[in-house]
Every structure is written in C-alpha cells, then in structure tokens.
Amino acid sequence: MGVGAESAPDMGESSEPASSRRRRLLRSLAAGGTLASTGCMRRLRTATGWESVTPVSLGIQTLPADADPYALRVAQSVAGWFRAAGIRTTVTPVAPEELYRRVLLRNDFDAFVGRIPARLRSGDGLYGLLHSRFGSEPGWQNPFGYANLDVDDGLSRQRTATDDARVEALAAVQRGVARTQPFAMVGFPDAIRAVRRDRFDGWHHRDYDSPLGYLSLDEPPDELARETGAATADATPTAADDATLRTVITDRRPTENLNPLAAEFRWSPALTGLLYDRLGYESRAGRIEPWLADGWEFETAGGRPRARVRLREGVDWHDGEPVTAADVAFTYALLADVTLGRSGDADTETDSDAPVAAPRFRGRSSLVADAEAVDRRTVAVRFVECSPAVATRAFAVPVLPEHVWRGRAGPASVGGVAFGGASEVLVTNNVPPVGSGPFAFERNVPGDRLVLERFDDHFLADAAPAELPGDVDGPPPYERVDVTVVGADETAVSVVAGGGADVTGTAVGAATIPRIGRSEGVDLVVGRSPSPYVVGYNARRPPLTNPRFRNTLGHLIDRQALVEGVFDGYAWPAASPLAGTGLVPPDLVFGDDHPVTPFLGSEGTVDAAAARARFRDAGYEYDDGTLVERE
C-alpha cells in the first residue's frame, strides 16, 4: 500500500493541519482504488493516525490431563468455539498448585476452566464467591473481580432474609449472574469411583469430598469377603491388614501440604477433615449440625444473632493439650486476620495496617463479628447482620490449636527474608499437623504417600454421641488411613482392581468405567459431584470487563455437546451453581439448552454469522474475520 512513508510528512515542509493532510491522503488513495478491503481500511486508518484497532485475544488456563480427566478437553472445545467467532484464543495447561496461585492469589489470568468448590454451593456461599467487597481478596473470594450492585444487594439481602424472602433474593442473584456471566456454567460431573466391596461396606451414597463419607463406612459384609480382600492385598506391594483403609489418589498435594487454610493446596477437605474437627458439619438436610460442639443456642442482641457454643467434654489435641473455648475464639480471630494485628507493626516490614483475612472459609468467617471464651468449654460468638440459619455456616470451619498457630502469625519469609503482607499462617505446609480430629498424622512421603492413625482419645473412639451428621454412628472400622499417589486415573483403577487399594480417593474419568466393570470384586460408585465445572473470567481485564462481551461468550459454549463429547454423558449441564439445591428459580432450570445464553449454533458447531452479529451489537468489529476493538 505504501501508506507509511506518506503518513509521516516532514513537519518542517508544511504548516497544513494534520487533519487536513489525513483527509487529503484518504481522498487520493480512494481515487486510486486502494481501499479494496476492510483490512486495508483498518491499516490505513492506523497509519494515518485516525484510529487503531486491536485483535481480541483470550488465554485460557486449565489443568493438564493427568491432573483432571476433563478440564483440558473442555478448555480446548471452548477455545475452538471462541476461535470460530473470531477471537484469538490459546489454551495453557498449568500444574494444579500453580493454576490456583495464578487464579486465586495473583489474579494472573484471562480465563480458566476449572471447578468451583462444593462448599460455595450454599446460598451464602455465593456471597463470598461473588460479592464485590471480596474482589481484592485472595482465594475463592470473588476471584473474578466481579462487581454488580444488583447482585451485591441480593447477596446481602439473602443473609438477613428467611423463608420465601431469602429464596427470592437468591433467585434475583442467580438471574443477574446468568445474564452478566462472571463465569460460564458448564455442568456438574458425575463423581466416579472404583471401590472394593470385600473389605468395607457402605460405599454407595456417600460424599467422598467430606470426611464424613469415610467415617460412616461399615464393617465388611462377612468374614469370607474380608479374608478374600486381605489375601488379595497380600499379593500387592501396598499390602495392608484389615485395620487399614487404603486409598489411591492422583493429586499429590495432600501428601505435601496439610495446611487447611492453604487455598492453592486444598481442593477437597476430606483428608484435613480427618485431622481437624469443626464445630459442626452440614447434614443431608442442608443444616449445620453439631460435631465438636455439644450444641449451641441463639439469641438476638442489638438486632444481630449471638450464639453460646458448648464444646464436648474431655476433647484433646493430638499432642495431648486440651481443646478449649479459647482455641475456638482464637480460630475466628486468626481467620479474620492471619497476622493477628501485626500487619502494621514496625518490625514486620509491611506498609499496611489492614487485616489480612484467610483466603479459605472467608465467606463463613466474615459472618463472625467476634468470638470470646466464656469459660473453658463455652464460647460466645457474635455475628454480623444475618439470620441464625446463615450464621450457623460459620461453625463449619476447622478449629485450630492456639498454642501451635499463634506463633505462625508473624510475617512469612523465604530464606530468612520477610515479604510484606503475607503471614506464615498462609504459607506453612503444616507438616506434621496437630489437630483434634478422629485421625492423627503418622508419616508422609511428599508426592508419594500419607499415613494417618486413628486418634483413640477422640469422642468417636468409644461410643459416638447420638445424632451426628453424615450417618456417622461410631468409630470407623479401620485404624489407619493409607493414601498413595499415582500418576493417572487408569493407574488408580488398576491398583484398586488388583487389590492394592480399597477406593480411588479422587474421582476418576468416565473413560475408566469399562475397566471398573470388568474387575472382579470391584464396584462402580457414581454420584453427582457438587463441584461444577465453569469457564471463569477475569472481569478486571478488558474486554472481559464488559458484561455484554461475557454474555456473548456464554452463547458460544455448547453445554450439551460437552456433556456428550467430553464427559461421555456422565455429567449434567446447568445454568446456575445452585442447581440441585432446590434454590434455582424455574426460569433458570436447564432444559434443552441454557435458558439465558443458549448456544449460537447446533450440534457443537458455532453459527459464525450469528456470533459476529451479536459481537457487533456489543460494540465490536471484525477485520479479516478477526474480532477487534477500537483503541
């Protein structure tokens, strides 16, 4: 085109205004037939300084195939649909801890494909996940940087409302989220596991993302089956006696880090839940019921709920120290500020006086205004403005021993060099851990193995209290938990099939089902996982700051095609993260397609013309088939 030289005249040769020169240049080029294409027009405008346009590009980060059976394939499918609409899209597999550091701690991403933890599926779980007040905090506290005043209002209202008013507030929240898409729902995978039926009973209908799922197992059905299981196990390198529950996992992180507050190392709370008790656990009915607590009583003071929580008698930490109400009060203080007020001390080399809240459990701990030990077994907990039903969710956090964790509230350091704003609380690997749970740490080999031993001083050891959550009715039928890490789902299933393990502790992909079905003495356990896959967007970065842009991206995802092609039918698509809870309004129930952002195409093929029209309506343009935006 030869425009570049002519578009930069020598300012010493002419005093003609720049705008006049540009118009004259455009007229001369147009007369010569040079403006033959949209792409050339764009380059001409850029060269003449009228405007510049930038191709829209997105990077999708996700887990590699050996860490997740579906995430990479979902990301690749989504990237293909985005490219069909003209968006330059790349997919980058990232190791689990690094992915969660980028997404949850550093906000260093455009988009990610991953799963929302099950604990965020309650109505109030959405408060921490989406409220704008958490947009600058680390962890699963609004990692999207999402800000929507209407959604904020609904999230705040549902905290104080009850019954129908709360359901209506949550319905408004879900509608706003479905429309503005801080994340695009993909669906809920089936949790697929291989279990041996000859050593322990009660595998079916259990939640194995919770410690209660393992604590509620029963004795094997008969002695013959038990002997068969033991004989099979004796033939394997990981042989163990009947007193050992053997689980095989594909995620090495639990063998390396047992810090229950570490966001990037904690996905499922099952193992840390065996080590650390909580005041209460969620029952099948969705209520928080007492566990470490003997019970609680609520009253209203100053228009806000207040509870007196009574601990069970004679509970000890694994190191023999007694568990007291002071430990509970300390736990809530630590969750609210992992520096315990030291962030502004001169000797910590930090610049901020602001408290540093723990990333995990932030939505729950933010319900607590303060907690104070009344006596050795009683703690008084005052809450922010909320209903008692919502307030009880604050009881579902791990209780930590003050004599161990107080010393970790100082600044974190690497090689003796402190770095500001952080706390040892968040970076310690916490090995060996000291909890009060039904199992205690015995040994570990990082990246390879973890062994826990039953804690005989736990309240479950002799006779379980009545009416515990999760169908737990006494001590489990095993004395230790032996966790072994393998590299892939297929290997995990093979170990169970060969008698070397009792259960695949991490759920496996649908591709392993034929192998499970062919294995003698092995059952296939399939349950609906409460942790959905999503495409999460960083709403801090343009063009993802634009809700119309994110909404259009939602129209480019064929959930049904993903369920059939990636999950082999072992998943169910959804339009809300609360699907299956009874809190989803009828207009957000997923039918043949997403009710708010239906797929722009059919049978997994994008209608490129329809996608382009929608992006143009949102204020974008195309250049040679590439989506662009003006600068």
Side-chain angles (χ1 to χ4, degrees):
M1 289 172 53
V3 177
E6 295 184 36
S7 64
D10 186 345
M11 295 302 294
E13 295 180 0
S14 172
S15 59
E16 181 182 9
S19 60
S20 298
R21 290 197 303 276
R22 290 169 183 152
R23 286 194 295 270
R24 177 170 54 79
L25 176 59
L26 286 171
R27 284 195 299 270
S28 65
L29 290 171
T34 311
L35 304 184
S37 69
T38 302
C40 189
M41 185 66 179
R42 177 186 64 78
R43 288 187 290 273
L44 173 62
R45 286 176 173 172
T46 302
T48 57
W50 272 32
E51 65 178 340
S52 61
V53 292
T54 302
V56 174
S57 62
L58 291 177
I60 302 177
Q61 301 182 43
T62 192
L63 296 170
D66 60 355
D68 187 292
Y70 306 118
L72 181 58
R73 293 173 62 197
V74 170
Q76 290 169 337
S77 296
V78 170
W81 291 321
F82 288 180
R83 293 185 194 114
I87 302 172
R88 294 181 177 178
T89 310
T90 59
V91 175
T92 305
V94 183
E97 57 267 38
E98 179 58 23
L99 176 65
Y100 293 122
R101 285 192 187 107
R102 293 183 186 184
V103 172
L104 304 180
L105 304 182
R106 302 201 298 263
N107 305 134
D108 182 19
F109 70 102
D110 294 332
F112 73 92
V113 169
R115 298 172 68 181
I116 293 176
R119 70 179 187 279
L120 301 177
R121 282 222 328 133
S122 69
D124 197 60
L126 294 184
Y127 182 85
L129 183 68
L130 294 169
H131 199 288
S132 62
R133 68 171 288 198
F134 298 117
S136 61
E137 292 195 11
W140 281 107
Q141 287 65 248
N142 196 355
F144 320 104
Y146 178 64
N148 184 302
L149 294 180
D150 291 335
V151 170
D152 281 355
D153 178 65
L155 289 169
S156 297
R157 282 190 290 117
Q158 66 84 30
R159 280 195 146 189
T160 57
T162 57
D163 301 327
D164 289 346
R166 184 166 187 256
V167 172
E168 291 173 4
L170 284 170
V173 166
Q174 293 171 78
R175 292 186 185 106
V177 170
R179 185 178 64 255
T180 57
Q181 298 273 304
F183 53 84
M185 284 291 301
V186 173
F188 293 81
D190 286 337
I192 300 168
R193 285 182 169 81
V195 301
R196 292 203 65 84
R197 60 176 178 264
D198 50 8
R199 286 174 46 83
F200 301 103
D201 196 18
W203 289 109
H204 296 272
H205 310 296
R206 295 285 184 260
D207 177 9
Y208 296 106
D209 285 330
S210 165
L212 303 185
Y214 293 96
L215 293 174
S216 59
L217 291 174
D218 299 322
E219 293 283 351
D222 54 60
E223 285 300 319
L224 178 62
R226 192 171 186 180
E227 291 171 4
T228 302
T232 305
D234 287 340
T236 70
T238 56
D241 58 35
D242 294 339
T244 300
L245 173 66
R246 302 160 303 154
T247 177
V248 59
I249 63 176
T250 57
D251 185 353
R252 60 182 172 81
R253 290 175 295 165
T255 67
E256 300 173 339
N257 185 299
L258 292 168
N259 182 350
L261 307 184
E264 71 272 30
F265 278 88
R266 293 277 77 75
W267 172 256
S268 166
L271 287 173
T272 53
L274 294 174
L275 293 164
Y276 290 94
D277 283 323
R278 302 182 182 198
L279 293 177
Y281 273 106
E282 186 172 354
S283 68
R284 289 189 177 183
R287 297 186 300 270
I288 303 297
E289 297 182 359
W291 180 259
L292 180 62
D294 203 4
W296 45 72
E297 299 174 351
F298 273 91
E299 62 182 5
T300 300
R304 298 179 178 182
R306 182 170 63 186
R308 287 176 67 89
V309 181
R310 186 80 169 166
L311 298 180
R312 298 192 186 278
E313 189 172 4
V315 180
D316 288 336
W317 297 107
H318 295 157
D319 61 3
E321 293 290 323
V323 177
T324 68
D327 291 307
V328 177
F330 167 80
T331 295
Y332 286 116
L334 189 69
L335 292 176
D337 181 7
V338 295
T339 73
L340 295 179
R342 302 177 188 175
S343 58
D345 292 352
D347 59 354
T348 63
E349 301 184 19
T350 63
D351 299 324
S352 173
D353 292 323
V356 182
R360 279 184 70 84
F361 310 109
R362 182 68 173 111
R364 297 176 184 180
S365 65
S366 66
L367 291 164
V368 176
D370 62 62
E372 180 182 5
V374 176
D375 56 40
R376 196 168 185 81
R377 289 179 54 203
T378 308
V379 59
V381 184
R382 292 194 312 113
F383 297 90
V384 300
E385 189 176 0
C386 63
S387 68
V390 170
T392 58
R393 301 201 64 78
F395 298 151
V397 298
V399 177
L400 306 174
E402 181 176 9
H403 65 281
V404 173
W405 287 81
R406 179 170 289 279
R408 295 172 175 172
S413 63
V414 176
V417 179
F419 47 99
S423 165
E424 189 67 24
V425 166
L426 300 182
V427 301
T428 177
N429 64 6
N430 193 41
V431 176
V434 176
S436 65
F439 284 82
F441 176 84
E442 200 277 329
R443 65 184 183 277
N444 76 313
V445 178
D448 183 59
R449 195 177 182 199
L450 172 67
V451 179
L452 309 179
E453 293 281 351
R454 192 161 71 189
F455 183 46
D456 290 334
D457 288 337
H458 193 266
F459 59 81
L460 285 182
D462 296 324
E467 299 182 357
L468 284 173
D471 296 332
V472 179
D473 57 8
Y478 48 87
E479 297 177 1
R480 69 188 61 83
V481 178
D482 193 329
V483 181
T484 302
V485 179
V486 296
D489 288 355
E490 293 80 4
T491 307
V493 170
S494 294
V495 172
V496 174
D502 300 301
V503 59
T504 51
T506 45
V508 295
T512 64
I513 290 177
R515 175 73 170 94
I516 298 173
R518 294 192 304 267
S519 301
E520 185 176 355
V522 176
D523 275 355
L524 170 67
V525 175
V526 179
R528 284 189 169 182
S529 170
S531 302
Y533 280 89
V534 301
V535 183
Y537 303 121
N538 190 346
R540 308 169 187 85
R541 293 184 177 182
L544 294 165
T545 52
N546 184 345
R548 294 186 67 186
F549 180 84
R550 299 195 306 268
N551 178 279
T552 305
L553 293 182
H555 284 279
L556 297 177
I557 300 174
D558 190 340
R559 283 86 173 170
Q560 292 285 15
L562 290 174
V563 166
E564 296 302 323
V566 173
F567 296 92
D568 296 328
Y570 288 89
W572 44 295
S576 167
L578 299 186
T581 65
L583 294 171
V584 178
D587 54 299
L588 283 185
V589 174
F590 198 102
D592 294 332
D593 205 339
H594 194 292
V596 179
T597 57
F599 181 58
L600 287 174
S602 62
E603 298 181 353
T605 300
V606 169
D607 183 338
R612 292 184 182 191
R614 188 172 289 272
F615 275 122
R616 288 190 179 102
D617 288 343
Y620 295 86
E621 299 178 357
Y622 279 87
D623 175 44
D624 293 340
T626 299
L627 186 68
V628 297
E629 58 182 339
R630 291 179 179 151
E631 290 186 345

